[in-house]
Amino acid sequence: MVRMTTLAIATIALGSVNAMAQDVAVITPYLAQPGTQFYVDGFTARAQELGWDVNVIDTAGDVAAVISRIEDMVTQGVDAIVINVDPAQVGAGLQAAADAGIPVVGMDAGSDPLVAANITSNGYAMAAETAVYVANRIGGQGNVIMFTFDPFPPVQVRGVIADAIFGNFPDITVLDRITPDVSDGGIADSRAAMEAILAANPEPGSIAAVWAAWDQPALGALQAIEAAGRADEGIVITGIDANPQARDAIAQGGNFEASVAQDFVGIGTTAADTVARLLAGEPVVQRVIYVPTRLVTIANAE
């Protein structure tokens, strides 16, 4: 009798998937975001290793259009669909895929009964880490500006956790909670919003920190603070994602002090491996799969 290890079985299964030359669609309205670009790069690189044909579809900020694009892919008979969008907003498309027997995997999306698995970072942990960083840096007191984005579940949960942490410090006041326009990534609108806040609060020390649920608003706020000549007030800025532009800003030792590095390529790669398992007929029991993260400060921004 020949015994086979789990690894050997998995390797054979993935090899079988490779041999079948699968057609997989990746659909997102957020390709303008650097993080999403890295997810997609990681996914397509792994898919290439598996011999798949991948169709990346960007609806350029139009969430509703994702539904019709999913339906288009169902009509074309793709083997699997990967989404980077709130599943609750594209239910009709997910149902069409389910009816056709096409598995859907989330790549930093949200959880849904019609999504086989969601591959993401632990947004709760990331938000807690940066919000506590802010609270400690400002000594548990002062006015904080928050940049959030509730329409997208992975980002929405970050705001919920940050709210809870700041609420646990009686001398911290959330002065404003801003949802920027993300059609261009979010930097420009965040800068404009921060400029207005600075103008309304001109006294030095009136703003202690800016907590952003991702890096683009943090970078926009940084630009506004520097342009207003208020960088020397010690306003602490944190983001999440640690994209290259954010890392550069943190490494300079200015107001932007910390972010959390997500393993974007790892998320994309894990999403592809999860699709491979589904196409090989392997059950996926874990509906949310977290990929590890790391706090980035001036100490390790390089």
Side-chain angles (χ1 to χ4, degrees), residues 157-214:
V157 301
R158 302 175 193 174
V160 170
I161 296 302
D163 276 329
I165 288 172
F166 293 141
N168 200 46
F169 290 83
D171 294 325
I172 289 180
T173 300
V174 175
L175 193 63
D176 207 343
R177 201 175 193 277
I178 300 161
T179 300
D181 179 0
V182 300
S183 58
D184 65 347
I187 293 180
D189 195 54
S190 299
R191 174 173 177 163
M194 192 67 200
E195 287 173 344
I197 291 170
L198 291 168
N201 299 272
E203 304 83 6
S206 57
I207 299 171
V210 174
W211 179 91
W214 73 107

Side-chain angles (χ1 to χ4, degrees), residues 259-285:
S259 186
V260 178
Q262 299 191 67
D263 184 359
F264 296 116
V265 173
I267 289 173
T269 301
T270 303
D273 287 339
T274 303
V275 170
R277 290 169 58 194
L278 290 165
L279 294 178
E282 181 181 339
V284 176
V285 177

Side-chain angles (χ1 to χ4, degrees), residues 16 25 34 42 63 65 73 82 93 101 105 143 170 186 204 258:
S16 299
V63 174
M73 294 301 99
V82 176
V105 168
N143 293 327

Side-chain angles (χ1 to χ4, degrees), residues 129-141 166 169 172 236:
E129 195 163 26
T130 53
V132 169
Y133 182 96
V134 166
N136 290 338
R137 277 287 288 114
I138 65 177
Q141 60 183 351
F166 293 141
F169 290 83
I172 289 180
V236 176

Side-chain angles (χ1 to χ4, degrees), residues 7-262:
L7 178 60
I9 294 171
T11 301
I12 291 173
L14 291 180
S16 299
V17 172
N18 187 2
M20 290 187 284
Q22 308 290 339
D23 289 322
V24 180
V26 177
I27 307 174
T28 178
Y30 304 124
L31 201 57
Q33 297 290 337
T36 300
Q37 294 168 18
F38 292 133
Y39 297 144
V40 173
D41 288 345
F43 185 92
T44 54
R46 181 65 175 129
Q48 185 176 16
E49 293 175 357
L50 294 168
W52 298 350
D53 292 323
V54 178
N55 183 10
V56 178
I57 300 168
D58 176 27
T59 64
D62 189 344
V63 174
V66 172
I67 297 175
S68 61
R69 300 316 302 269
I70 292 175
E71 292 171 341
D72 290 344
M73 294 301 99
V74 170
T75 300
Q76 291 182 26
V78 297
D79 298 292
I81 296 171
V82 176
I83 61 168
N84 171 240
V85 68
D86 179 5
Q89 296 180 286
V90 296
L94 296 179
Q95 189 60 59
D99 292 344
I102 298 173
V104 177
V105 168
M107 188 162 60
D108 195 31
S111 298
D112 188 278
L114 297 178
V115 175
N118 179 40
I119 320 304
T120 187
S121 302
N122 190 331
Y124 300 95
M126 292 191 298
E129 195 163 26
T130 53
V132 169
Y133 182 96
V134 166
N136 290 338
R137 277 287 288 114
I138 65 177
Q141 60 183 351
N143 293 327
V144 175
I145 308 301
M146 293 180 62
F147 284 89
T148 62
F149 194 73
D150 290 347
F152 190 40
V155 178
Q156 182 266 341
V157 301
R158 302 175 193 174
V160 170
I161 296 302
D163 276 329
I165 288 172
F166 293 141
N168 200 46
F169 290 83
D171 294 325
I172 289 180
T173 300
V174 175
L175 193 63
D176 207 343
R177 201 175 193 277
I178 300 161
T179 300
D181 179 0
V182 300
S183 58
D184 65 347
I187 293 180
D189 195 54
S190 299
R191 174 173 177 163
M194 192 67 200
E195 287 173 344
I197 291 170
L198 291 168
N201 299 272
E203 304 83 6
S206 57
I207 299 171
V210 174
W211 179 91
W214 73 107
D215 285 336
Q216 272 64 24
L219 290 164
L222 176 65
Q223 292 175 3
I225 290 167
E226 292 178 340
R230 298 180 64 175
D232 60 354
E233 291 181 23
I235 301 172
V236 176
I237 302 173
T238 65
I240 290 175
D241 288 343
N243 68 42
Q245 192 175 355
R247 284 178 179 267
D248 288 344
I250 293 169
Q252 291 172 18
N255 298 87
F256 198 160
E257 293 192 10
S259 186
V260 178
Q262 299 191 67

